[in-house]
Amino acid sequence: MESGAKKWGFQGKQGLEAASTTTVRGYLNLLMGNINQDNCLTVVPLGHGDPSHFPSFRTTPAAEDAIVDALRSAKHNCYSTTVGILPARRALADYLNRDLPYNLSPDDVYLTIGCTQGIEVVISILSRPGANILLPRPGFPLYEAWCAYNHLEMRHYDLLPEKGWEVDLDALETLADENTVAMVIINPGNPCGNVFGYEHLKKIAETARKLGILVIADEAYDNIAFGSTPFVPMRVFGLTVPILTLGSISKRWVVPGWRLGWLVTSDTDGILQKSGVINSIAGFLNISSDPATFIQAAIPQILENTKEDFFSKIISTLRECADICYNRIEEIPSLTCPKKPEGSMFVMVKLNLSILEDINDDVDFCLKLAKEESVIILPGIAMELKNWLRVTFAIEPSLLQEGLARVKAFCQRHAKKQ
């Protein structure tokens, strides 16, 4: 048969490539591709929250031992149940029940492949023709990617830098209508490094109840708070509004490659059950993959045996890194940090283009910074906030110092001449 004579009946899925380029990984791939390979400088990764490579952030031996014990037992080489094995779900329910005014049961817990699959699940099951969802700006771009892929309309509410990145609740109410299904909150904040206080979370819950929408609480960075505001889980307000909580061991235990997360339903009035959301979660998990069974099996031992001093050490290191990051950025005239980070592993920084030469926008800044200084920083447009930057401070303190010194040198080199 001659070449081109046959018409093939397949093609790639339209829209998938466009959705994927807007993710953190999409932008990181773009920036890494702009690194000057002839440059002998060590790459400083200030673009994503994975400090597991660095000695100061090694996970606890208790977690490593739990994995080894589960694997060597030879009891967990089998398939998992679709919602996750019962011992892991029971242990997580007990772990998450602390300080709640009601009790979660193992049936409220669904194990996922990290928080990433949890996002995929909740966006997929809530998508329907004409529906819309309220997303934070700035936020985590994987939500936008999955909404685009599922044709779920996105409406962005603002986080207010002048108010410590609190939700603009008045404006949020004007965005919602009868087709709004949910709002997403990320606490502790990715990308802002903020931590919502109890009273603000209470107002969020009351607003969601008033609007008749559920709250998707992304708590990937749960308990990673090192400022004056303590972490409060959104599920505390599960008596007020239905809540879907997303969490994982990735950040608190510094093991993102283990890919173990959870989706938890807080539904004391049975609203999620009556609306079909619970059945949809189970149905979606029936047709998707599960976390590795031996990782699930290690969860009870990880939760029981991890000592508080491990968490304290990680928090202390993150506080040190946050101080370094904030203080060094304060020394750079073209960058402004509206609030010192109090949680997670990130901070949002305002880019002042008016005092820089040959820099068109935040993407151009990050591309040129990668090429000239081998420093990777995420452009704010990835989080729906143009001409801002997301800086990760969760790396070895000495390397953070070096990376920010290079950022300062870059900004000085591109400063407009007086």
Side-chain angles (χ1 to χ4, degrees):
M1 183 181 295
E2 294 181 4
S3 176
K6 174 66 178 176
K7 181 179 180 181
W8 298 101
F10 55 82
Q11 62 179 2
K13 186 176 179 65
Q14 294 183 353
L16 184 56
E17 183 179 354
S20 68
T21 57
T22 62
T23 63
V24 170
R25 286 182 176 181
Y27 277 102
L28 290 178
N29 289 338
L30 174 68
L31 295 170
M32 288 301 296
N34 216 46
I35 292 285
N36 183 355
Q37 299 302 321
D38 296 327
N39 196 329
C40 62
L41 292 172
T42 300
V43 175
V44 181
L46 304 182
H48 68 297
D50 181 5
S52 62
H53 302 282
F54 304 106
S56 293
F57 291 93
R58 180 169 178 173
T59 193
T60 171
E64 297 171 342
D65 292 343
I67 295 293
V68 171
D69 291 348
L71 189 59
R72 286 183 172 169
S73 74
K75 296 178 180 179
H76 310 292
N77 297 327
C78 53
Y79 290 121
S80 165
T81 56
T82 57
V83 297
I85 64 175
L86 181 58
R89 290 187 291 117
R90 182 185 292 121
L92 278 166
D94 291 342
Y95 168 73
L96 298 170
N97 266 331
R98 296 170 301 176
D99 302 321
L100 290 186
Y102 58 92
N103 282 325
L104 297 169
S105 79
D107 291 337
D108 298 318
V109 180
Y110 303 82
L111 299 188
T112 59
I113 305 172
C115 268
T116 298
Q117 189 187 30
I119 294 172
E120 178 186 0
V121 172
V122 297
I123 297 301
S124 298
I125 67 167
L126 293 174
S127 299
R128 67 169 191 267
N132 66 77
I133 189 169
L134 307 180
L135 302 179
R137 179 173 52 216
F140 184 53
L142 195 60
Y143 285 97
E144 281 80 3
W146 276 111
C147 286
Y149 184 73
N150 284 282
H151 306 290
L152 177 60
E153 180 190 347
M154 298 165 268
R155 298 182 180 180
H156 289 94
Y157 66 85
D158 288 320
L159 303 179
L160 303 173
E162 68 275 14
K163 293 188 176 181
W165 298 106
E166 287 189 345
V167 176
D168 187 345
L169 288 170
D170 292 335
L172 181 143
E173 286 196 45
T174 68
L175 294 173
D177 60 23
E178 67 277 6
N179 293 315
T180 304
V181 295
M183 66 175 293
V184 173
I185 67 164
I186 305 174
N187 184 48
N190 175 9
C192 300
N194 60 301
V195 179
F196 292 140
Y198 180 93
E199 291 301 324
H200 189 60
L201 290 171
K202 182 180 179 182
K203 291 178 182 178
I204 290 172
E206 291 169 347
T207 301
R209 181 178 180 86
K210 176 182 175 182
L211 297 174
I213 61 177
L214 65 84
V215 177
I216 299 167
D218 185 326
E219 296 177 357
Y221 292 88
D222 72 320
N223 289 289
I224 301 183
F226 40 81
S228 59
T229 305
F231 170 71
V232 177
M234 189 68 201
R235 58 186 173 275
V236 166
F237 303 99
L239 298 174
T240 302
V241 64
I243 297 166
L244 299 179
T245 298
L246 306 180
S248 80
I249 62 171
S250 296
K251 307 302 182 181
R252 196 177 189 206
W253 275 266
V254 203
V255 287
W258 292 8
R259 311 312 299 135
L260 193 289
W262 51 84
L263 190 166
V264 175
T265 60
S266 299
D267 186 30
T268 56
D269 293 330
I271 298 169
L272 297 176
Q273 183 69 55
K274 294 171 188 174
S275 63
V277 169
I278 299 296
N279 288 340
S280 293
I281 293 172
F284 188 95
L285 293 175
N286 275 335
I287 59 171
S288 61
S289 300
D290 317 311
T293 309
F294 73 91
I295 302 286
Q296 297 185 44
I299 287 297
Q301 190 173 327
I302 290 173
L303 296 178
E304 181 178 353
N305 291 351
T306 301
K307 304 301 183 185
E308 190 60 38
D309 60 355
F310 164 72
F311 297 129
S312 298
K313 174 180 175 294
I314 295 297
I315 290 297
S316 177
T317 303
L318 284 171
R319 184 184 294 112
E320 177 189 356
C321 291
D323 288 344
I324 292 170
C325 187
Y326 182 78
N327 291 334
R328 294 298 173 268
I329 288 171
E330 287 283 284
E331 298 171 358
I332 305 174
S334 53
L335 302 180
T336 303
C337 183
K339 180 176 173 60
K340 188 176 183 178
E342 294 189 334
S344 78
M345 300 176 179
F346 310 99
V347 65
M348 286 297 286
V349 177
K350 176 69 173 176
L351 183 60
N352 186 353
L353 294 173
S354 66
I355 60 175
L356 294 173
E357 273 187 334
D358 303 321
I359 303 293
N360 298 322
D361 55 24
D362 53 326
V363 175
D364 191 39
F365 179 96
C366 293
L367 284 170
K368 289 175 178 174
L369 178 65
K371 186 172 185 177
E372 296 178 26
E373 296 290 348
S374 296
V375 176
I376 303 297
I377 287 177
L378 204 65
I381 193 64
M383 284 71 64
E384 301 290 326
L385 207 58
K386 187 175 177 62
N387 294 332
W388 286 70
L389 308 169
R390 189 190 79 169
V391 180
T392 304
F393 50 81
I395 68 171
E396 205 65 33
S398 58
L399 187 58
L400 178 62
Q401 293 267 23
E402 178 184 341
L404 292 172
R406 291 191 215 166
V407 174
K408 182 177 181 179
F410 173 86
C411 291
Q412 290 174 336
R413 192 162 57 249
H414 288 271
K416 285 184 178 178
K417 304 299 185 289
Q418 298 295 326

